[in-house]
Amino acid sequence: AGKVNRVPDLVLTAGGTMTGRVCDHSGKVIEGAKVVLKQNNKEIAQTVTNNEGTYSFKNLKSGIYQVGSGNTDGVFRVWSEKTAPPSAKEHALLVMGENGARGQFGAVDPTLVLLTGGVIAAVVLSAIAVSEINSVKDTVNQIPISP
């Protein structure tokens, strides 16, 4: 039994726009990365990521697209807003491989795209810290104060 190759579903936003982000294996966004869009192995567009590592391609129709940057290539099934399945995400994420290794790709929610790599860890840590602080405060408040 071979491995099932799942193609991530993406939904196009206004104007048939496909958006995504390019980051390295540690989650750091890559500015100025060339991103190539292909359909049926034929290049149909290319762009460069901005200072937030994001890219977009406009005026697309539903279909299967290949998105590539450096050593990372991903295949995405792209849907219009009206026909997209509920599981379709709004961003195509390309994670570059380390030292020339092949990278990974996937589809993510926009909120997750903003919280890549270390930022997610920082958010999780700060949430834990706040709950620990509150629990310490409760404990301190319960200590009887002697005159």
Side-chain angles (χ1 to χ4, degrees), residues 66-77:
Q66 296 143 280
V67 182
S69 184
N71 56 8
T72 306
D73 282 298
V75 176
F76 298 91
R77 190 171 25 221

Side-chain angles (χ1 to χ4, degrees), residues 77-146:
R77 190 171 25 221
V78 178
W79 304 80
S80 72
E81 287 180 277
K82 292 183 181 81
T83 61
S87 61
K89 307 291 190 221
E90 284 186 12
H91 279 76
L93 182 65
L94 297 176
V95 181
M96 303 302 232
E98 192 173 5
N99 299 328
R102 266 189 69 70
Q104 302 170 318
F105 67 96
V108 294
D109 285 313
T111 48
L112 210 66
V113 169
L114 299 173
L115 301 173
T116 51
V119 181
I120 291 175
V123 170
V124 171
L125 286 175
S126 65
I128 292 168
V130 168
S131 66
E132 283 181 6
I133 290 167
N134 289 340
S135 117
V136 169
K137 271 188 195 166
D138 292 345
T139 310
V140 168
N141 290 339
Q142 290 166 8
I143 298 172
I145 300 170
S146 55

Side-chain angles (χ1 to χ4, degrees), residues 10 17-23 30 33-37 46-58 60 66-69 74 76 90-95 105-106 113:
L10 286 178
T17 303
M18 174 184 178
T19 58
R21 176 166 275 169
V22 178
C23 63
I30 301 175
K34 180 174 138 184
V35 182
V36 176
L37 182 68
Q46 65 174 262
T47 188
V48 174
T49 58
N50 66 13
N51 62 346
E52 295 174 342
T54 59
Y55 63 88
S56 63
F57 295 104
K58 295 180 177 18
L60 299 182
Q66 296 143 280
V67 182
S69 184
F76 298 91
E90 284 186 12
H91 279 76
L93 182 65
L94 297 176
V95 181
F105 67 96
V113 169

